[in-house]
Amino acid sequence: MRFRNVAVIAAAVALTLVVTFQVFASGGPKGDANETERWPACVTIMLDGDGPEVTSEVLAESGAATAVVTVSEVGAATWTTPDGKRPTFDEYRTSHPQIVRPISVDVEDALVGNFERGRTTWALLGGDVGCDSMVGSSWLEPKAGRYVVVGVPSLDKAHGELLLTNMWPVSGDTVQAEFGDISLNQLRADLETANR
Amino acid sequence: MRRRTPSAVIAALLLLAMSATPMLAWTQLRNNYPDNPQSCNGQPPNFCYRWPKTANNLSTTQYVYLDDSLANANLNLKPDVRNAMDKWNDLPARNPFMIETSSEGSADVIVDRGSASALCGNAFAWACTGHVANGNLMYTFAEVHFSSSVDWNHTLFYDTDEADSRKVATHEFGHVEALGHTGMTAVMKQGDVQFHIIKANDIDGIQAIYGAYP
């Protein structure tokens, strides 16, 4: 009887030690639970950028790369992690991988910045990878056609040198910019004037 | 009786006019959807994301970590961020209560100064708010980046690389709470408008999402 009690107590102590070890090995009582809660199996990443209204003066002052292009194709979305795999929460937090799509464009004219004319591939933010998605306010869903595009240097060069941030459809000679319609010649002149 | 009829008609007309006017003039919806909160039905394009509430429909507590990078450069942004948190916490609504934590690892919201442009896909961003949401349209994590290339001020002056951090901090925490942009009078109005105080439209929006308190 005494032996049986000792065995039960020893088993209970061993079980307690094992559970305690596992809890602390996982980073503390909240560790794994928090990771799963904050980075569930399917995530929607939602982005809101806030800045001044984008006028041609703002565009010129910012020095952001601007070009007239014709979009030919938008490819499948991928994560910009080094191996293309879904990031962990820690990886997302520390390096901010994005979901991007390759966008094939024919560069017709460089308004700000130096681009070679002809076909190139840049990165377009947003899209779906499996059940993960990335969406942003004011993001335009491009179709094949002519646009004035604005971009910033891509954080992830593997998916293109430029990350497109604004796309304004061009119809005839009219650019449907965020600040209103403007002729392509006028936009070009405004940018040249502002950059002098 | 004759005297009462005109006032009753006027009252009825007023009620009719009020019912025809949108009572809420902001977007509780995300991502630039129209100002039509009544269409927030949980399905795209009219989905409505928010922080969870407790089982008995009360506010949750969300922990906010203020990175030391906020104190670098030309202006310490931490006081503005704390002030913005207080403003949203003080609303008569069951919105999440934001409390500062010194533990980055356990934070639900992380605020720092860094690259806002590339993160948000906006070449001109003063700041960017990013959320992670789960399949139930509930936020699980948020972060706010104040651009490190902006000279922050308290003078209500705005330019491509200058902005008032009081307005931007209050605006970004409106995003953190769940509000989208609006064209109406509100701290959630985009651009260089000079509202850095939460307006009636903002309160209406928060109450519609989380419920009024008490």
Side-chain angles (χ1 to χ4, degrees), chain A residues 30 37-40 42-52 54 58-59 61-62 89 92-93 96 98 125 135-139 150 152 155 163 165-166, chain B residues 30-32 49 104-108 110 118-134 140-141 143 145 159-160 171-172 175 181 191:
Chain A
K30 291 176 69 182
E37 282 171 16
R38 283 166 204 181
W39 195 246
C42 299
V43 296
T44 298
I45 296 168
M46 313 175 70
L47 300 169
D48 281 293
D50 289 295
V54 183
V58 166
L59 189 57
E61 195 179 328
S62 75
F89 181 67
Y92 174 73
R93 267 293 303 139
H96 286 110
Q98 296 160 329
L125 257 182
V135 294
S137 57
S138 308
W139 289 2
V150 181
V152 293
L155 293 176
L163 179 70
T165 62
N166 301 70
Chain B
R30 304 295 303 183
N31 302 315
N32 211 28
Y49 287 83
E104 184 177 3
S106 62
D108 304 297
I110 293 177
L119 179 68
C120 266
N122 181 335
F124 319 96
W126 295 318
C128 169
T129 297
H131 284 97
V132 175
N134 64 23
T140 59
F141 179 73
E143 55 192 327
H145 294 255
D159 202 343
T160 50
H171 180 99
E172 295 310 314
H175 285 316
H181 288 136

Side-chain angles (χ1 to χ4, degrees), chain A residues 103-120:
Chain A
I103 179 166
S104 298
V105 299
D106 288 301
V107 179
E108 175 185 321
D109 193 8
L111 302 180
V112 179
N114 295 316
F115 309 106
E116 289 187 12
R117 292 182 186 213
R119 177 70 55 93
T120 190

Side-chain angles (χ1 to χ4, degrees), chain B residues 37-50:
Chain B
Q38 281 75 23
S39 67
C40 183
N41 60 10
Q43 295 296 323
N46 299 320
F47 48 66
C48 179
Y49 287 83
R50 63 171 172 82

